[in-house]
Amino acid sequence: QVHLLESGGGLVEAGGSLSLSCIMSGGTMSRFVMGWFRQAPGKEREMVARISRAGTSTYLEGVKDRCTISRDDAKNMAYLQMHNLEPEDTAVYYCAASDGYFYTSETARDFLSWGQGTQVTVSS
């Protein structure tokens, strides 16, 4: 079975940067659409970014100018680079994989495999 493991979360001051990493085991990442999601307490889980098997990416409107999603299929890894972080970015960030089409992989329920999450806390 596919397993995902995130790393790179932590505490950062507003305006700072973080890079999150996700490694896949038990599967071949090139087969999947990869996504990064976040969930803050009391809020719905939302997609931050997704990247297709071919490298096409989309972003949540509120982060599109501050985040970059990337993938390195040879290493079975995906990344989310974040800068100019805001307190509103505080959440648990999850790596997820979908075996569906890119255009149908839009919400959390469309993603098959999930990591355990990594906490990102942005102080004001």
Side-chain angles (χ1 to χ4, degrees):
Q1 60 274 55
V2 171
H3 297 278
L4 301 173
L5 179 62
E6 306 96 334
S7 62
L11 175 64
V12 64
E13 294 183 358
S17 300
L18 282 175
S19 293
L20 307 182
S21 299
C22 171
I23 186 165
M24 176 180 286
S25 60
T28 302
M29 188 172 282
S30 62
R31 295 180 53 242
F32 298 92
V33 175
M34 299 301 299
W36 284 95
F37 292 77
R38 68 185 183 187
Q39 188 165 25
K43 295 186 177 181
E44 296 289 325
R45 188 169 299 189
E46 62 183 354
M47 182 185 291
V48 178
R50 60 177 174 171
I51 185 166
S52 77
R53 300 165 180 87
T56 301
S57 59
T58 63
Y59 297 88
L60 183 69
E61 182 67 22
V63 306
K64 63 178 182 180
D65 296 324
R66 302 184 293 112
C67 294
T68 301
I69 187 171
S70 60
R71 62 192 298 158
D72 187 341
D73 290 340
K75 297 180 179 179
N76 255 20
M77 295 193 70
Y79 308 92
L80 183 69
Q81 301 175 86
M82 302 184 289
H83 59 272
N84 294 328
L85 285 163
E86 305 169 354
E88 293 73 23
D89 296 317
T90 295
V92 177
Y93 283 70
Y94 298 90
C95 177
S98 168
D99 62 358
Y101 293 107
F102 179 68
Y103 69 91
T104 64
S105 301
E106 295 185 314
T107 63
R109 66 181 297 121
D110 300 316
F111 285 74
L112 179 69
S113 300
W114 292 83
Q116 85 291 343
T118 185
Q119 177 72 46
V120 172
T121 302
V122 184
S123 63
S124 60

